[in-house]
Amino acid sequence: MSAIDRRDFLVRSGMAIGAAVLAADGCVSKTLAGSPPLKLDSWQAVRGQFQLTPDFIHLAGFFLASHPAPVRAAIERHRRGLDADPIGYWFEHEEQQEAAVLRAAAEYLSVDPTEIALTDSTTMGLGLLYGGLTLREGQEVLTTQYDHYSTDTALRLRAERTGATVRQIPLYHSLKDVSSLELHENLIKNIRPNTRIVAVTWVHSSTGLKLPVQEMARAIHTLNESRTEQDRVILCVDGVHALGVEDFRLSDLGCDFLVAGTHKWMFGPRGTGLVWGHQRAWPVANAIIPTFNTQAYDIWMGLNQPKDLPKSVYMTPGGFHSFEHRWALDQAFTFHQAIGKARVTQRIYELNQQLKQGLAKMPHVMLHTPMSQDLSSGIVCFEVTGMRPRQVIERLRQQKIIGSVTPYATEYARLAPSLLNSSEDIEQALQEILKLRV
Ligand SMILES: Cc1ncc(COP(=O)(O)O)c(C=O)c1O
């Protein structure tokens, strides 16, 4: 059957409609057909899946993913198919592959595939969500002083376009003695009767601080018990530095929306991301970019009767994408599952502890990230007396250690021990930081 015939057949038989979202039917590629099962029982084996140059110690892996072998192979397979016959390959694979990606993401997050919208980045997800959330006259958005440029700017643009009120608050006095209780109490006490949206970032890329999102969500649930559906506080989380690090199930987390790129800690294809929304929260979202979902498109063409599709469908922007990347995303989730979520978290915590303990002992180093893993995740921020953060990172790079500088008004040196690292890597980084005494 030709691609166009197949499309006609699918449309006529009604199968084209959202099969991608609604009936993921065993087309999930656990690993690529014909490839040997992933054996990721040692950290060396995990590291061996990446083509990162061995000349460096990579402590900025979260910035933008290096693709592990199964992701590279899937991208290559789709690229070849698209290069050979773009329209034919697209018709043959679009629904199937999108279903596979949604199913893999949903399995990983322990949610339903219809609750997930696919995006190209965290920024795209934040822009779509904050740009379109329904706000009634007088309702406000509450956010914090620590969010990334993308949250901040998405909210500012929304405010400029619609006149919406955005209020920004501090959550703690000092990182030295910050506590989970302080963070969560400060958020809750700042919620006013007209606060509709709470926009926070789970793991701050400015300091490495991790917010107690679950406790915050629980307190918001309690507060919501005395509110009507239209006034309910909606908790939105930028979760990009938690996804692929923290061992969580979205059903347990309790937020309404989680926005994340999948091209950082998740090792997904560069240019991929998602927005997850709880079923009770999706009605508050409004799409800004037309979706290219087949079912929605067919309704527009008059091929199908209008009907309600899941909001996540409309919140998945069209038009055409770099499909070889988007369709390879299932492999990243499979890769993480093959290692095991709990193992991933434990390993990242161990390496981060090693780095923080080492830095805390150095008199010329000021460690900013909390020591406790309850309040930190995979990012470590610090300063070296007498040196600018950029100098610190430059000097480390000269010694083949790659870090980054926090892209915020207050800059810190930032290292992020990850699955790409060994304990020896961390020791070596510590030795080099020790030598930075002026
Ligand atoms: C907290 C946070 N949110 C959002 C982003 C933007 O992510 P993306 O590149 O996926 O848009 C970053 C970093 O780039 C970040 O640190």
Side-chain angles (χ1 to χ4, degrees):
M1 193 185 294
S2 78
I4 304 294
D5 288 347
R6 180 183 134 76
R7 161 92 174 130
D8 283 347
F9 166 75
L10 289 173
V11 168
R12 274 198 311 277
S13 62
M15 285 169 61
I17 53 173
V21 176
L22 304 172
D25 55 358
C27 49
V28 174
S29 35
K30 286 289 182 202
T31 53
L32 286 183
S35 55
L38 279 175
K39 199 163 175 293
L40 300 173
D41 49 1
S42 76
W43 297 115
Q44 264 172 325
V46 171
R47 180 65 172 77
Q49 300 285 315
F50 295 85
Q51 287 184 333
L52 284 158
T53 169
D55 301 343
F56 291 95
I57 292 175
H58 298 270
L59 288 165
F62 72 87
F63 186 79
L64 189 58
S66 171
H67 299 156
V71 172
R72 285 199 308 278
I75 290 173
E76 201 39 47
R77 183 168 57 101
H78 294 307
R79 190 196 313 283
R80 264 190 253 119
L82 286 163
D83 281 340
D85 176 9
I87 185 169
Y89 194 82
W90 188 86
F91 275 119
E92 280 300 322
H93 292 86
E94 207 272 327
E95 292 179 9
Q96 221 187 26
Q97 274 313 125
E98 191 149 320
V101 168
L102 290 170
R103 246 271 293 262
E107 259 179 42
Y108 179 87
L109 296 167
S110 304
V111 296
D112 193 87
T114 59
E115 294 170 358
I116 298 172
L118 296 177
T119 64
D120 294 353
S121 63
T122 325
T123 305
M124 181 189 267
L126 292 167
L128 289 169
L129 189 69
Y130 293 142
L133 284 174
T134 304
L135 278 174
R136 290 206 328 279
E137 186 72 29
Q139 288 186 325
E140 67 160 17
V141 180
L142 180 67
T143 187
T144 79
Q145 291 177 350
Y146 320 101
D147 299 286
H148 185 259
Y149 164 85
S150 300
T151 289
D152 235 34
T153 309
L155 291 174
R156 180 173 58 75
L157 293 175
R158 168 68 189 263
E160 285 171 4
R161 212 178 64 248
T162 66
T165 307
V166 178
R167 189 160 51 94
Q168 210 181 43
I169 55 161
L171 288 177
Y172 57 87
H173 175 64
S174 158
L175 277 176
K176 276 200 206 79
D177 50 19
V178 63
S179 70
S180 188
L181 188 67
E182 180 188 14
L183 291 165
H184 137 266
E185 280 188 352
N186 275 334
L187 181 74
I188 300 308
K189 79 171 185 222
N190 272 289
I191 294 178
R192 295 176 180 163
N194 68 333
T195 305
R196 173 63 158 158
I197 309 292
V198 170
V200 297
T201 302
W202 194 348
V203 179
H204 295 171
S205 49
S206 48
T207 60
L209 177 71
K210 175 171 73 181
L211 296 188
V213 169
Q214 199 171 4
E215 285 87 334
M216 288 172 163
R218 234 180 268 134
I220 289 177
H221 273 281
T222 307
L223 198 143
N224 276 339
E225 280 166 14
S226 57
R227 293 192 177 207
T228 64
E229 187 53 35
Q230 284 192 318
D231 287 330
R232 202 167 66 75
V233 178
I234 307 278
L235 176 60
C236 305
V237 179
D238 172 347
V240 71
H241 296 300
L243 184 65
V245 181
E246 299 292 324
D247 182 10
F248 67 98
R249 295 158 62 91
L250 271 174
S251 41
D252 299 336
L253 195 63
C255 64
D256 291 282
F257 289 102
L258 183 119
V259 182
T262 43
H263 51 191
K264 294 183 188 286
W265 297 90
M266 272 315 297
F267 307 130
R270 292 178 285 269
T272 58
L274 56 82
V275 177
W276 168 81
H278 193 282
Q279 277 174 10
R280 68 165 181 248
W282 270 123
V284 182
N286 298 288
I288 293 174
I289 300 177
T291 185
F292 263 27
N293 169 268
T294 320
Q295 196 173 2
Y297 211 118
D298 286 349
I299 293 171
W300 180 80
M301 286 173 70
L303 293 170
N304 277 321
Q305 291 302 316
K307 65 175 208 158
D308 283 340
L309 302 173
K311 232 356 170 358
S312 59
V313 165
Y314 295 108
M315 286 291 284
T316 298
F320 290 132
H321 299 279
S322 40
F323 289 111
E324 59 272 60
H325 277 217
R326 172 165 291 202
W327 295 344
L329 178 55
D330 56 336
Q331 296 300 320
F333 288 105
T334 309
F335 185 76
H336 266 260
Q337 301 271 44
I339 302 171
K341 281 168 86 168
R343 267 180 83 216
V344 166
T345 305
Q346 195 192 353
R347 173 70 169 177
I348 295 174
Y349 279 11
E350 268 169 25
L351 295 175
N352 274 264
Q353 275 302 314
Q354 185 187 346
L355 179 61
K356 283 188 283 188
Q357 304 278 358
L359 290 176
K361 286 191 203 127
M362 297 184 193
H364 66 304
V365 169
M366 164 93 84
L367 174 66
H368 291 288
T369 308
M371 190 62 78
S372 160
Q373 286 304 141
D374 287 343
L375 292 171
S376 62
S377 188
I379 295 177
V380 176
C381 295
F382 63 99
E383 285 178 287
V384 173
T385 311
M387 287 179 87
R388 283 183 297 109
R390 282 167 196 252
Q391 282 177 295
V392 172
I393 292 304
E394 190 45 44
R395 285 274 297 275
L396 290 177
R397 187 172 252 277
Q398 285 162 7
Q399 302 309 316
K400 309 279 186 205
I401 293 161
I402 302 181
S404 58
V405 177
T406 54
Y408 290 81
T410 303
E411 293 187 339
Y412 295 133
R414 180 175 63 177
L415 299 178
S418 73
L419 302 185
L420 309 171
N421 301 114
S422 64
S423 171
E424 292 72 35
D425 289 349
I426 306 304
E427 190 45 45
Q428 210 173 317
L430 285 168
Q431 288 307 319
E432 292 303 332
I433 296 167
L434 198 57
K435 290 185 201 157
L436 294 179
R437 271 179 294 203
V438 280

